[in-house]
Amino acid sequence: MATDPDNPPAEVLAALAAMGFKNTYSGGYTHKDRGKVLDLHFQKDGTDLFQGWKAEEMEANMAAITALFSGIGITITPRVMSLAEAYA
């Protein structure tokens, strides 16, 4: 998630933590329009192989994420990472 570093969405971050998502990366950068950006990565372990999500976990987690973000006007579009992206 990319956000304003001076005004992070505290309620959204708290909701993600309450859902069991852990912040695994936090780093700032300057966007090409010169605005400051805080880049945040989150992860939630599942019970499948390599801590992945089983189908039931994926459905429940994606429904919770969709509900959280749709409540603030953001549409979620999932994508599957390649192995190269996952382990880069």
Side-chain angles (χ1 to χ4, degrees), residues 8-80:
E11 291 179 16
V12 172
L13 297 175
L16 286 170
M19 286 189 263
F21 286 88
K22 296 177 185 164
N23 182 221
T24 59
Y25 172 81
S26 177
Y29 65 92
T30 301
H31 190 269
K32 64 182 178 180
D33 69 2
R34 303 277 185 233
K36 294 187 298 182
V37 178
L38 177 61
D39 187 27
L40 302 170
H41 296 195
F42 295 89
Q43 178 176 322
K44 181 177 181 179
D45 293 341
T47 60
D48 206 358
L49 186 65
F50 303 113
Q51 298 177 329
W53 294 348
K54 292 184 177 177
E56 307 82 38
E57 293 168 318
M58 189 262 316
E59 288 179 27
N61 289 327
M62 291 307 299
I65 290 169
T66 299
L68 172 65
F69 285 98
S70 67
I72 57 172
I74 298 172
T75 301
I76 299 298
T77 305
R79 76 174 179 88
V80 177

